[in-house]
Amino acid sequence: MSHAILDLVEQVMSSPWLYVALFALALLDGFFPIVPAETSVITAAVFAASGETNLALVIVVAALGAFAGDHISYLIGHKSAGRLRGKKAFIWARGALEERGGLVLVVARYIPGGRTATTLTMGAVGHPLRSFTFFDAIAASSWAVYSGLIGFFGGMAFENDPIKGLLLGLGIALSVTALVEVVRWARKRRAIQPSPERLPVDTSV
């Protein structure tokens, strides 16, 4: 069974349409986050360790696809501003945007669901396109490099067993995502806890 799966994956990795598929998945992931773009990039990068794919091309194609997809999401947000204003994700992204500016787009790239909420929100609130493009270039490029290198080093660690390399790469990616979420949760909890100087003073004594 595992050999059959590996053979199928190897056939896909050797296909000349691989890079077109990676671009399309990264693009769709910009406004349809269910698409497994990151998994696809990591998988392709795992096989780059054995020379079956080109790591540099995988990273460039993924970055371009993500960049294009984010801009489509920005345009969708711009056209749908009225319908988005009451959404919880919109409120979160708008607050983060007011606090951190365009830099939030780079951070949100690594938060599940945060990327799409942020790109839609930036379009909806009319964030300057030039600023959006600048920060999105950083976000898309860093994400592609991050995903590509995770897969590549996983493939190098298990060069003779790509499936294990893939599992290692995905495990690292999930661990990083979980760590980001834990840090966000801890910071949010700390922010809502009243500081000692804000506690009410008992004047009944």
Side-chain angles (χ1 to χ4, degrees):
M1 181 67 177
S2 60
H3 289 293
I5 295 174
L6 181 58
D7 289 341
L8 177 61
V9 173
E10 287 179 339
Q11 288 178 19
V12 173
M13 292 300 112
S14 61
S15 170
W17 293 99
L18 169 66
Y19 302 103
V20 176
L22 285 176
F23 177 87
L25 288 171
L27 183 148
L28 289 171
D29 190 48
F31 52 91
F32 192 62
I34 298 176
V35 175
E38 184 171 304
T39 302
S40 302
V41 175
I42 292 174
T43 303
V46 165
F47 284 84
S50 58
E52 294 187 50
T53 60
N54 185 305
L55 179 62
L57 192 53
V58 167
I59 291 174
V60 169
V61 167
L64 290 175
F67 182 80
D70 288 347
H71 278 71
I72 292 174
S73 182
Y74 175 93
L75 292 175
I76 293 173
H78 185 68
K79 298 292 184 181
S80 310
R83 286 177 289 176
L84 292 172
R85 294 190 186 280
K87 302 290 185 180
K88 185 177 180 180
F90 178 91
I91 296 171
W92 169 83
R94 184 173 59 186
L97 182 59
E98 290 173 353
E99 182 181 346
R100 299 185 180 89
L103 188 62
V104 71
L105 185 58
V106 181
V107 177
R109 168 59 65 173
Y110 301 92
I111 300 174
R115 174 182 67 258
T116 305
T118 302
T119 51
L120 286 171
T121 301
M122 293 179 83
V125 301
H127 188 85
L129 181 59
R130 180 177 296 181
S131 173
F132 177 85
T133 298
F134 172 76
F135 284 103
D136 192 51
I138 298 174
S141 299
S142 65
W143 169 79
V145 171
Y146 158 78
S147 301
L149 291 181
I150 282 179
F152 182 74
F153 288 121
M156 286 186 66
F158 296 97
E159 190 171 350
N160 297 321
D161 194 341
I163 296 298
K164 288 183 179 179
L166 175 58
L167 292 175
L168 175 61
L170 293 176
I172 293 173
L174 288 173
S175 298
V176 171
T177 300
L179 179 61
V180 169
E181 287 299 293
V182 169
V183 171
R184 284 182 62 234
W185 175 82
R187 291 185 62 183
K188 183 177 179 180
R189 184 178 180 183
R190 183 178 179 182
I192 62 177
Q193 287 180 341
S195 57
E197 57 270 18
R198 292 183 181 178
L199 292 175
V201 179
D202 187 359
T203 58
S204 61
V205 180

